[in-house]
Amino acid sequence: MTYFMFMLLVALIVGLIAVASNPTPYFAALGLVVAAGVGCGVLVGCGGSFLSLVLFLIYLGGMLVVFAYSAALAAEPFPEGWGSRCVAGYVLVYLLGVILAGGMFWGGWYEGSWIIIDNLKEFSMLRGDVSGVAVMYSFGGAMLVICAWVLLLTLLVVLELTRGLSRGALRAV
Amino acid sequence: MTPVHLSFSSAFVLGLMGLAFHRTHLLSALLCLEGMMLSLFIALALWTLQFESTSFSTAPMLLLAFSACEASTGLALLVATARTHGTDRLQNLNLLQC
C-alpha cells in the first residue's frame, strides 16, 4: 500500500512536470488529466474518498473538459511534444530541481506514515470528509452564499469579456 | 518533510515555474495555473485527512468553487484574445511595445 502511494506521488510530480515544461497545450492538458487522476488516488489512499470523488467530477469532468476543447484555440501545424529539444530541456531541469529539493528537505522523511493507519476509532455510518462537507450547509452557510454570489458574478464577468462586436474587452485597435 | 508534503509542495512550485516561464501559448499558462490549483486542493484535503479536522473539509470545496471561477475568467480572456488577435500566441500581444 505504501509502494502504491509512492507510485501515485511520483506520477503526480511527473504529471505536473509534463504540464510545467510547456509543450503544445494538447499534451499539457493530457499531463494535467493524469496528474488529477493520480491526485484523486492520493486522496483515496489517505482516506478521503468523498473529496476524491468531488475532485474527479468537478475538476476533471467539469473544468478540464472545458480546457480540453479550448485547446482547439491553440492549434499549431507542428505541435511540440516532450521529445522536442526545448521542452525536453525544461523537463530535465524540473526533474533535477525536484530531486534537489528532495535531497535538501530530507529531514523528517520518516516522521509520518504514507498512508492512514488508524482510522476507525468508533463505529459510524459517515466518513469524516462527508460529514465535514455537510458543515458547509449548516455553520458555513454564509460562505456558501458568498460562493454562490461569486459564481454568479463570474458568469457576468465571462459574458462581458466575450461580448465581442465593437464592445468587447480586448481590442487590437 | 514527509514525502506527501514534499510532493504537493513541489507540484505547486512546478506549476508556479511553468506559469512564470511560459513560452508561446497563453493556454499553457492557464493550464499551469490549474495545476497549481490542483496541488492546493490536494494540500487542503490532506490537511483535513491527516490531522483529522473534519470540519476543515469545507475548505477544499470552496477552493474548488473559486478556482472554477478563476479558470472560467482565464478562458474568457483566452477566447477574447483569440477573437481579437487571431491566436493566443503571446508574441502577438504587443500593443504596449514601443
Side-chain angles (χ1 to χ4, degrees):
Chain A
M1 186 71 184
T2 303
Y3 190 62
F4 185 62
M5 188 69 153
F6 170 72
M7 302 296 286
L8 291 177
L9 290 175
V10 166
L12 177 70
I13 294 187
V14 165
L16 277 183
I17 287 178
V19 174
S21 53
N22 290 327
T24 305
Y26 300 126
F27 303 118
L30 178 70
L32 201 52
V33 165
V34 166
V38 298
C40 291
V42 166
L43 288 184
V44 166
C46 288
S49 37
F50 180 72
L51 287 172
S52 160
L53 260 178
V54 161
L55 185 67
F56 232 104
L57 273 174
I58 309 300
Y59 191 84
L60 266 185
M63 288 157 53
L64 278 189
V65 162
V66 178
F67 272 94
Y69 65 69
S70 297
L73 283 172
E76 10 178 69
F78 300 104
E80 282 183 343
W82 298 291
S84 83
R85 183 168 305 180
C86 200
V87 179
Y90 275 102
V91 166
L92 279 173
V93 166
Y94 289 147
L95 264 175
L96 278 172
V98 167
I99 292 172
L100 267 173
M104 255 199 323
F105 297 109
W106 181 250
W109 191 261
Y110 298 108
E111 262 178 32
S113 163
W114 295 55
I115 49 170
I116 46 171
I117 291 180
D118 178 34
N119 209 20
L120 287 172
K121 295 189 180 57
E122 53 193 25
F123 295 117
S124 163
M125 277 282 281
L126 302 167
R127 294 198 59 88
D129 51 354
V130 177
S131 40
V133 170
V135 169
M136 192 166 63
Y137 292 94
S138 66
F139 292 108
M143 201 60 211
L144 191 66
V145 167
I146 290 175
C147 211
W149 174 252
V150 165
L151 283 168
L152 179 66
L153 191 65
T154 306
L155 172 68
L156 297 174
V157 162
V158 166
L159 286 177
E160 179 62 35
L161 276 174
T162 55
R163 205 204 290 222
L165 287 182
S166 60
R167 288 191 290 269
L170 281 175
R171 303 303 310 167
V173 293
Chain B
M1 246 192 217
T2 54
V4 177
H5 186 193
L6 177 70
S7 67
F8 65 71
S9 304
S10 56
F12 183 80
V13 170
L14 279 172
L16 189 60
M17 296 213 307
L19 178 64
F21 302 130
H22 57 272
R23 295 186 304 120
T24 43
H25 288 278
L26 185 62
L27 188 55
S28 2
L30 291 177
L31 283 167
C32 288
L33 207 56
E34 284 310 300
M36 285 165 68
M37 284 296 143
L38 174 70
S39 72
L40 282 175
F41 182 92
I42 290 175
L44 285 181
L46 286 174
W47 182 304
T48 310
L49 297 166
Q50 291 191 340
F51 293 139
E52 297 187 5
S53 55
T54 51
S55 57
F56 196 64
S57 308
T58 54
M61 305 282 287
L62 295 171
L63 175 77
L64 204 59
F66 289 128
S67 105
C69 295
E70 161 215 330
S72 58
T73 308
L75 282 175
L77 281 170
L78 178 81
V79 163
T81 309
R83 189 179 283 168
T84 54
H85 295 267
T87 174
D88 69 331
R89 296 181 82 93
L90 296 161
Q91 63 203 26
N92 281 355
L93 301 173
N94 55 0
L95 267 181
L96 292 175
Q97 206 172 19
C98 297

